[in-house]
């Protein structure tokens, strides 16, 4: 039975290999410190945080997230460590909440490796605090216990570290927050919080559920095969019933234990959708044969339209794959760790170091490691096979905005009368199965700008390419994204401006120029750069003033109120200090009023500006013109390989789409 702790209460831990699960309603930073018998932290080498996530016996998340899983092996802690304190803090300078009183009460649970909850604690009564010591694991008379702490600090992370005896706590807090900011910059933004009506739909028909299956339990109950993530790729820690708590982020998309055991469908509603009437039901999977999983169905989700169902289904697949692979990797790590421990115990006896006893111990430990790893791989392969089958059904059913250039839907595309929910800008995959691609969808209107990295240091593939070829490929990628945006917006509601200071992108820009879909000729030279930036900066200023004054009718009649996209080639060439300041202003303030950036730039070439441009780079979603493993998911933090969308060789689909955009504008009189 789970011990539901209150502040100050403790509970004996029945095992030393544990997971600490954190569930919050907003992204938080999770870390941990090691302390001696008096709770003193001996140095920064006893602190695990996103910038330094691993210590002996302890591992924390590398980025801020609404849900965390911290791995703890109390027997592997450094000598002298008698206490583990779990710390939570709100990220600083990212535009989120600044005090815990403004967010749902965080929920923390200590679990075994099989997912069994040992103790839980809901951190209530927090207000102005921006950092909190959630709970601590401590050793008393050779027995490990957990204590609910809940000590908040209005002074933030620095005050909390100082209270534990850390020298120079402010500097360390700054280092941690900088690591968090970098992590958020490379993380794919999750979909908005989902409503309580439900989450990802999985129909249990026949004798097997369609969702990825759980690995079998380990042969020895005290040391199960995998961590709790192995019980299913989308399972999350469940809060206790006395304090209902639901993490609104996508990581809470998994079914509850009760829902899973019942085998019934679990509804979920589209993010941010406020509705009075229930949406139409999702398609129903055909009945499964006995002993076989249900057949996947495109749009296997509730929603107000097929596009909404597919959008949520894709995000569900994304999360399922992230968590399935996390479970597998955790199981492999556990198997390796257990083998090392068994070898250490066997070889610590001098009698086993000679003769055949040592060899037999090594063989037995490696055989057990191989068995556990093999079983984890079998479970992963089942999950991957089911997700691959689902992807094979979903991909052909995608609308143009969600489809790749090779999808036939683009050849029959008609310019819509309303914008879609999202736009596909690439594919993501993990090394465990590279052919299983997840569409990378970004919400529309764009919530952050996009940076196409043209630098050779961007990835291994980029380093092998000629500089001029890489820059051309980067600009072609930007042009393709601009074309997709033009094609999915109603006629006249999306305008594209181009800054090409040296005129070096004439070739890649030719499809946009020849189709006549640009707001004006590409701007070149210092005068052209200044003119375009002044025009868009004025638009942002006027719209902001109208919004604040609630006087939209006062906008000048010549002001284009449609969405605006600024494509910048070869930044920072042709930009003076004033132009750089204006560009940063557009990146910060533009998305809220419909002005977006699509930059093609090599960060190294802008190094002369120093840290002044760091906020600009962090505000943009970085993609590459070639494959690169730089994006992270918002649940586990895997490094995903991003694959840009490419037009099939010999295809003229891009020109056909732009011609359709131009024709739709003429028909609409725009």
């Amino acid at each position: 039975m789970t011990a539901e702790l209150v502040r100050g209460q403790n509970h004996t831990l029945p095992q030393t290999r544990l997971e600490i699960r954190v569930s919050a309603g907003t992204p938080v930073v999770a870390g941990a410190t090691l302390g001696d018998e008096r709770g003193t932290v001996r140095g920064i080498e006893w602190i695990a945080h996103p910038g330094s996530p691993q210590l002996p016996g302890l591992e924390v998340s590398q980025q801020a997230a609404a849900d965390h899983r911290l791995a703890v092996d109390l027997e592997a802690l450094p000598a002298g460590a008698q206490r583990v304190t779990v710390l939570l803090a709100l990220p600083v300078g990212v535009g989120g909440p600044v005090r815990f009183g403004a967010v749902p009460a965080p929920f923390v649970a200590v679990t075994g490796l099989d997912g069994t909850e040992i103790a839980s604690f809901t951190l209530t009564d927090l207000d102005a605090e921006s950092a909190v010591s959630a709970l601590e694991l401590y050793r008393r008379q050779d027995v490990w216990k957990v204590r609910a702490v809940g000590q908040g600090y209005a002074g933030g992370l620095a005050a909390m570290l100082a209270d534990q005896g850390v020298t120079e706590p402010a500097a360390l807090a700054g280092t941690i927050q900088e690591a968090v900011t970098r992590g958020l910059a490379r993380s794919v933004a999750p979909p908005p919080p989902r409503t309580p009506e439900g989450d990802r739909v999985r129909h249990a028909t026949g004798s097997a559920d369609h969702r990825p299956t759980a690995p079998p339990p380990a042969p020895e109950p005290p040391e199960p095969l995998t961590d709790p993530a192995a019980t299913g790729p989308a399972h999350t820690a469940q809060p206790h019933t006395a304090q209902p708590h639901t993490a609104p982020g996508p990581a809470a998309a998994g079914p509850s234990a009760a829902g899973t055991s019942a085998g019934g469908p679990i509804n979920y509603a589209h993010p941010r959708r406020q509705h009075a009437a229930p949406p139409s039901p999702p398609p129903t999977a055909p009945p499964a044969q006995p002993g076989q999983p249900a057949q996947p169905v495109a749009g296997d989700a509730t929603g107000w339209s097929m596009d909404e169902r597919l959008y949520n289904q894709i995000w569900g697949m994304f999360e399922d794959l992230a968590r399935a692979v996390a479970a597998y990797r955790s199981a492999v790590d556990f198997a390796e760790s257990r083998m090392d421990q068994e070898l250490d115990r066997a070889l610590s006896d001098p009698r086993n170091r000679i003769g055949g006893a040592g060899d037999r111990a090594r063989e037995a430990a490696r055989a057990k490691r191989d068995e556990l790893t093999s079983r984890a791989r079998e479970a992963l392969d089942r999950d991957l096979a089911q997700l691959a089958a689902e992807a094979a059904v979903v991909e052909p059913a995608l609308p143009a905005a969600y489809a790749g250039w090779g999808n036939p839907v683009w050849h029959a595309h008609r310019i819509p009368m309303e914008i879609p929910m999202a736009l596909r800008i690439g594919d993501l995959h993990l090394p465990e199965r590279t052919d299983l691609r997840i569409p990378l969808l970004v919400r529309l209107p764009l919530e952050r700008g996009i940076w196409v990295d043209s630098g050779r240091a961007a990835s291994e593939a980029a380093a092998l390419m000629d500089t001029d070829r890489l820059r051309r490929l980067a600009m072609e990628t930007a042009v393709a994204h601009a074309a997709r945006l033009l094609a999915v917006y109603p006629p006249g509601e999306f305008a594209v401006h181009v800054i090409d200071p040296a005129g070096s992108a004439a070739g890649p820009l030719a499809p946009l120029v020849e189709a006549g879909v640009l707001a004006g000729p590409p701007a070149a030279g210092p005068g052209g750069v200044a003119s375009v930036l002044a025009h868009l900066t004025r638009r942002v200023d006027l719209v902001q003033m109208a919004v604040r004054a609630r006087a939209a009718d006062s906008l000048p009649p010549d002001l284009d109120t449609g969405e605006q996209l600024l494509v910048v080639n070869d930044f920072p060439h042709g930009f003076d200090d004033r132009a750089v300041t204006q560009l940063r202003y557009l990146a910060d303030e533009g998305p809220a009023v419909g002005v977006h950036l699509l930059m093609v730039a090599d960060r190294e070439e802008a190094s002369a500006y120093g840290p002044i441009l760091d906020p600009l780079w962090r505000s943009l979603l970085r993609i590459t013109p070639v494959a690169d493993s730089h994006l992270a998911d918002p649940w586990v933090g895997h490094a995903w390989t991003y694959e840009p969308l490419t037009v099939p060789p010999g295809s003229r689909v891009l020109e056909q789409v732009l011609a359709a955009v131009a024709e739709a504008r003429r028909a609409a009189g725009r």
Side-chain angles (χ1 to χ4, degrees):
M1 178 179 291
T2 303
E4 298 177 1
L5 305 180
V6 297
R7 188 174 278 105
Q9 187 178 1
N10 60 39
H11 182 72
T12 301
L13 295 172
Q15 57 202 78
T16 57
R17 289 184 59 84
L18 306 163
E19 266 202 353
I20 299 174
R21 302 186 180 189
V22 178
S23 182
T26 189
V28 297
V29 183
T33 61
L34 303 180
D36 56 21
E37 62 278 359
R38 291 174 294 183
T40 303
V41 180
R42 294 183 178 178
I44 59 173
E45 67 276 6
W46 273 24
I47 303 174
H49 57 80
S52 179
Q54 291 183 326
L55 296 178
L58 181 62
E59 182 174 0
V60 303
S61 304
Q62 299 184 48
Q63 63 187 43
D67 296 87
H68 293 272
R69 292 183 177 183
L70 285 63
V72 181
D73 184 352
L74 298 173
E75 293 183 351
L77 296 178
Q82 303 290 313
R83 188 172 302 185
V84 179
T85 304
V86 177
L87 314 176
L88 304 179
L90 293 171
V92 174
V94 297
V98 296
R99 60 187 186 90
F100 275 108
V103 302
F107 174 80
V108 185
V110 180
T111 74
L113 293 182
D114 59 354
T116 302
E117 210 169 87
I118 300 170
S120 64
F121 175 42
T122 301
L123 285 77
T124 57
D125 300 326
L126 296 176
D127 187 10
E129 298 88 345
S130 59
V132 60
S133 294
L135 54 77
E136 64 180 8
L137 314 179
Y138 64 98
R139 195 172 195 169
R140 182 70 53 83
Q141 297 179 347
D142 294 330
V143 175
W144 282 97
K145 298 183 178 182
V146 57
R147 176 187 291 120
V149 181
Q151 175 64 53
Y153 295 84
L157 191 56
M160 181 167 55
L161 294 173
D163 191 43
Q164 297 196 29
V166 177
T167 58
E168 300 184 2
L172 179 57
T175 300
I176 295 173
Q177 294 290 359
E178 176 64 23
V180 171
T181 303
R182 291 196 303 268
L184 289 174
R186 64 184 287 268
S187 176
V188 177
R194 296 174 180 172
T195 58
E197 275 95 358
D199 287 295
R200 183 150 155 75
V201 172
R202 292 296 189 188
H203 294 283
T205 55
S207 60
D209 197 340
H210 171 59
R211 71 175 301 106
T213 57
E220 298 178 19
E223 295 180 322
L225 169 64
T226 66
D227 73 334
T231 59
H235 281 229
T236 56
Q238 298 300 319
H240 60 84
T241 55
Q243 291 285 344
H245 176 90
T246 301
S256 66
T260 303
S261 61
I266 300 163
N267 293 328
Y268 73 98
H270 169 56
R272 288 184 182 167
R273 176 67 73 182
Q274 301 296 326
H275 52 77
S280 55
T284 303
Q289 297 297 323
Q292 297 296 323
Q295 296 299 313
V297 176
D300 189 12
T302 56
W304 288 83
S305 68
M306 189 62 170
D307 287 2
E308 292 188 14
R309 299 169 191 159
L310 289 169
Y311 173 82
N312 281 322
Q313 187 173 15
I314 288 171
W315 271 96
M317 293 165 58
F318 189 8
E319 182 178 0
D320 283 354
L321 180 55
R323 295 193 182 279
V325 171
Y328 167 71
R329 293 179 180 178
S330 180
V332 172
D333 290 343
F334 167 66
E336 294 285 348
S337 175
R338 192 170 86 164
M339 181 187 70
D340 292 340
Q341 292 180 7
E342 290 179 350
L343 289 176
D344 289 342
R345 287 195 297 266
L347 299 180
S348 62
D349 187 345
R351 293 171 296 180
N352 291 336
R353 298 175 187 172
I354 57 176
D359 293 337
R360 288 191 295 273
R362 293 186 186 92
E363 292 176 1
R366 288 169 182 157
K368 190 172 295 184
R369 184 273 314 273
D370 293 342
E371 177 191 0
L372 294 177
T373 302
S374 175
R375 294 175 62 185
R377 184 69 211 196
E378 290 176 2
L380 175 66
D381 288 341
R382 288 195 299 271
D383 292 348
L384 296 181
Q386 292 175 5
L387 287 170
E390 186 173 8
V393 172
V394 168
E395 187 69 35
L398 295 178
Y402 301 175
W405 286 116
N407 194 311
V409 70
W410 277 107
H411 294 283
H413 179 62
R414 296 292 180 267
I415 307 305
M417 298 308 295
E418 60 181 30
I419 68 171
M421 290 178 52
L423 183 74
R424 184 174 183 169
I425 63 170
D427 293 331
L428 299 173
H429 65 82
L430 291 172
E432 281 74 10
R433 182 160 178 174
T434 56
D435 64 328
L436 179 52
R437 307 295 177 91
I438 302 295
L440 175 56
L441 303 180
V442 294
R443 290 295 296 262
L444 294 181
L446 294 173
E447 297 172 346
R448 62 191 294 199
I450 298 175
W451 162 33
V452 184
D453 193 345
S454 61
R456 295 187 64 195
S459 66
E460 294 181 4
L464 299 175
M465 296 187 67
D466 175 77
T467 300
D468 292 337
R469 170 59 182 153
L470 184 62
R471 289 180 176 176
R472 181 182 179 89
L473 195 59
M475 194 59 193
E476 290 174 351
T477 301
V479 168
H481 289 315
R484 293 174 71 87
L485 285 163
L486 284 166
V488 300
Y489 268 80
E493 293 191 15
F494 194 86
V496 176
H497 309 260
V498 175
I499 290 179
D500 184 20
S504 59
L509 287 171
L512 295 175
V513 175
E514 294 172 0
V517 294
L518 294 179
V529 172
S531 176
V532 172
L533 291 176
H535 170 72
L536 293 177
T537 300
R538 172 178 175 269
R539 184 193 181 282
V540 171
D541 290 339
L542 290 175
V543 174
Q544 282 186 336
M545 288 188 291
V547 170
R548 290 166 183 162
R550 298 182 180 180
D553 295 340
S554 64
L555 289 171
D558 62 337
L559 186 75
D560 183 1
T561 57
E563 300 284 314
Q564 311 288 310
L565 177 70
L566 174 59
V567 180
V568 179
N569 180 46
D570 211 15
F571 176 82
H573 297 297
F575 282 72
D576 56 20
D577 290 346
R578 175 178 173 80
V580 170
T581 301
Q582 288 177 313
L583 193 69
R584 283 191 55 188
Y585 175 72
L586 293 178
D588 293 338
E589 304 294 335
V593 291
V595 177
H596 314 283
L597 286 184
L598 177 53
M599 287 181 50
V600 177
D602 179 357
R603 186 169 183 172
E604 290 187 356
E605 294 185 353
S607 59
Y609 286 94
I612 191 174
L613 288 181
D614 286 350
L616 173 64
W617 305 121
R618 287 196 294 262
S619 69
L620 305 174
L621 174 63
R622 174 178 171 259
I623 61 176
T624 52
V626 294
D628 183 41
S629 302
H630 68 281
L631 291 176
D633 64 80
W635 305 286
V636 184
H638 294 313
W640 293 72
T641 298
Y642 167 80
E643 293 275 0
L645 298 177
T646 57
V647 177
S651 173
R652 294 192 56 81
V653 63
L654 182 63
E655 290 78 7
Q656 294 172 7
V657 167
L658 291 174
V661 172
E663 177 61 29
R665 287 186 173 184
R666 286 191 293 269
R670 299 299 180 95

